[in-house]
Amino acid sequence: MLAAMVTQKFATVHVIEHPLIRARLTRLRSNATGTAEFRANLHQIAKLMIFDVLRDCATRETAVETPVSMTVGAELMRPVILVPILRAGLGMVHSMLEIVPEAQVGMVGMQRNETTFEPETYYNRMPSSLGEADVVIVDPMLATGNSVVCAATALKSQGAQRLRFLNLVSCPEGIQHMAKAHPDIRIFTAAIDDGLNDQAYIVPGLGDAGDRYFGTT
Ligand code: URA
C-alpha cells in the first residue's frame, strides 16, 4: 500500500518484485540471521536485481560468425560502471560482477562532517570512461538519502551523465530527498519500508547493513 503510494508519487522509483528477492530479503531482515547467511542472501539479491537495473541499456547490432553461419547479435553500446558507496555498497559488487564481468568499478566513500553534519567525500576514484558509461550507484540502504545525493552530485561534476541507483531497502524520506535533488536518476529498490526512526535507521529495515555484512556488530 505504502509502496504503491510512493511509486505513484515519485516516477523515478522502481520496485523490483520477485518472490526470490522477497524471500532472501526476509532472511536479511531477520535478527536471527548470522553473518554468513546475511552475506549469501545479499549476494543473491544483488545478482537478481542487477538484471532489471540494466534491462534498458542500449545495445548495437554486431555481426558474429557461428560455427555454422554469419548472424547478427548485440553488444552493449556503453561501458557499465558500478559505484559502491563505501562501506556497505562493497558487499553487493562482487556478485554483480559475476553477471556483468566487463563492468568497471569506481568507489566513493562518504562520511558525516561532525561539525556541519553534512556528508563529505573522503574517497573518490572513478574510471576514465565515466562520462560515456551507464553508471550504477550501489548502496544497500536508502535512509536519509544524504550519502547518495552527495555521491551523485560528485559523479555528475566528474562528468557522469547516465546514473541509476540500486539499493535493497528504501524509505519515503530517502526517496523524496533523492527524487528532489536528482530527478533524472532512477531508483531501483527491493522494498519501500515505513520510514526512519530517530536514529535514522530504516523501520523495519534490517539494521546496519555494513555491520551485518562485515560482521562488525
Ligand atoms: N544504514 C543502514 O545500514 N541501515 C539503516 O537502517 C539506515 C542506514
Side-chain angles (χ1 to χ4, degrees):
M1 180 64 179
L2 172 71
M5 281 166 56
V6 173
T7 49
Q8 211 166 21
K9 188 163 172 200
F10 300 103
T12 50
V13 186
H14 177 69
V15 180
I16 300 179
E17 299 270 5
H18 196 288
L20 288 176
I21 294 179
R22 276 207 303 279
R24 306 287 185 264
L25 183 55
T26 304
R27 298 308 309 147
L28 291 187
R29 289 188 190 280
S30 170
N31 207 17
T33 298
T35 307
E37 192 189 350
F38 189 91
R39 283 186 190 141
N41 281 280
L42 189 93
H43 294 162
Q44 288 167 13
I45 297 176
K47 278 188 196 171
L48 291 164
M49 290 184 81
I50 195 68
F51 276 106
D52 253 11
V53 174
L54 298 178
R55 184 175 291 282
D56 64 352
C57 279
T59 57
R60 67 175 150 240
E61 290 189 348
T62 181
V64 60
E65 185 175 5
T66 78
V68 181
S69 77
M70 290 298 295
T71 188
V72 176
E75 62 186 9
L76 291 181
M77 255 173 72
R78 293 187 273 270
V80 173
I81 299 180
L82 307 175
V83 181
I85 298 181
L86 303 179
R87 119 187 111 135
L90 264 188
M92 300 173 75
V93 168
H94 285 289
S95 50
M96 293 194 294
L97 286 174
E98 288 180 26
I99 307 297
V100 204
E102 70 271 49
Q104 296 167 291
V105 179
M107 284 188 202
V108 60
M110 314 289 315
Q111 67 190 5
R112 196 170 76 142
N113 179 310
E114 293 304 336
T115 311
T116 64
F117 302 119
E118 293 299 320
E120 281 181 350
T121 306
Y122 67 84
Y123 186 78
N124 179 317
R125 180 130 175 121
M126 294 299 143
S128 58
S129 60
L130 191 64
E132 56 190 278
D134 285 308
V135 180
V136 185
I137 304 174
V138 179
D139 194 347
M141 310 300 278
L142 172 53
T144 62
N146 289 340
S147 301
V148 66
V149 165
C150 187
T153 302
L155 292 179
K156 284 180 179 176
S157 75
Q158 291 170 271
Q161 299 187 52
R162 290 175 205 83
L163 287 158
R164 301 151 205 234
F165 174 43
L166 185 165
N167 62 80
L168 299 191
V169 181
S170 61
C171 63
E173 295 92 324
I175 290 169
Q176 181 164 22
H177 188 184
M178 185 61 181
K180 194 164 170 223
H182 295 289
D184 56 311
I185 299 182
R186 273 177 301 153
I187 301 167
F188 295 86
T189 189
I192 301 175
D193 278 10
D194 298 343
L196 297 175
N197 67 14
D198 56 9
Q199 302 202 314
Y201 277 94
I202 296 177
V203 181
L206 50 77
D208 187 303
D211 278 345
R212 295 196 63 193
Y213 184 87
F214 290 106
T216 46
T217 45

